[in-house]
Amino acid sequence: MTLSIEIEHEAWEALPGLAALAERAVAAALEGRGETGAVTLLFTSDAEMQVLNRDWRGKDKPTNVLSFPAPAMPVPEGEATPLGDIALACETVSREAAEQGKPLADHTAHLIVHGTLHLLGYDHETDGEAEDMENEERKILARLGIADPYES
């Protein structure tokens, strides 16, 4: 696995160990799937996320996480196959963690896992897809020692 991390919004730097957290979350999501590849994580602001969400999804508001799977393409031997890019919005992620009473690191890891599963083809457009994806997230997060994010 090759992980590139871009911290575009300095407020993310207040989360201790962000790079290590991101690496653990992506690795856990890929574990046991036979997938190795390159993932880029963008830690950005709500303002930038709103632009991405508007331009790519037609929704003119920030969101917590967006995933952009890479198109299939030939890759030179020895180079990692691009899986795609994941963007997280600092203010939204922080607000959600506070509202849900979750540690910011746990919520961030959950959203990285969620985004990585999207890169692997998971979705939640139907109830069945959502159930499958949430079950995968629960298993991965449990391996990371993070409580079930869907338990009320």
Side-chain angles (χ1 to χ4, degrees):
M1 171 189 80
T2 303
L3 181 62
S4 298
I5 296 175
E6 297 177 27
I7 300 175
E8 184 178 83
H9 187 50
E10 65 280 349
W12 277 107
E13 294 176 15
L15 181 57
L18 179 60
L21 172 77
E23 189 169 332
R24 283 192 313 273
V26 172
L30 296 177
E31 185 180 324
R33 298 178 192 282
E35 292 282 350
T36 58
V39 174
T40 298
L41 283 171
L42 173 65
F43 292 96
T44 192
S45 66
D46 273 15
E48 180 59 27
M49 187 65 94
Q50 183 169 347
V51 171
L52 291 170
N53 204 21
R54 182 191 66 226
D55 292 354
W56 291 94
R57 297 180 65 227
K59 297 183 180 191
D60 195 13
K61 62 182 182 177
T63 189
N64 54 13
V65 62
L66 289 172
S67 297
F68 302 95
M73 66 181 83
V75 177
E77 189 173 325
E79 287 190 23
T81 302
L83 295 178
D85 304 330
I86 302 167
L88 287 93
C90 188
E91 298 91 336
T92 297
V93 174
S94 297
R95 185 187 72 252
E96 289 174 346
E99 289 172 354
Q100 297 169 21
K102 297 175 182 174
L104 178 57
D106 289 0
H107 190 50
T108 300
H110 173 211
L111 293 173
I112 293 169
V113 166
H114 182 90
T116 304
L117 289 176
H118 275 303
L119 298 183
L120 297 174
Y122 283 82
D123 213 336
H124 44 80
E125 293 296 317
T126 68
D127 289 344
E129 289 174 338
E131 185 176 335
D132 290 344
M133 190 169 185
E134 289 171 9
N135 286 335
E136 277 304 305
E137 289 172 11
R138 286 181 180 101
K139 290 178 203 172
I140 294 163
L141 294 170
R143 288 198 308 267
L144 291 169
I146 297 173
D148 181 347
Y150 299 106
E151 198 171 85
S152 46

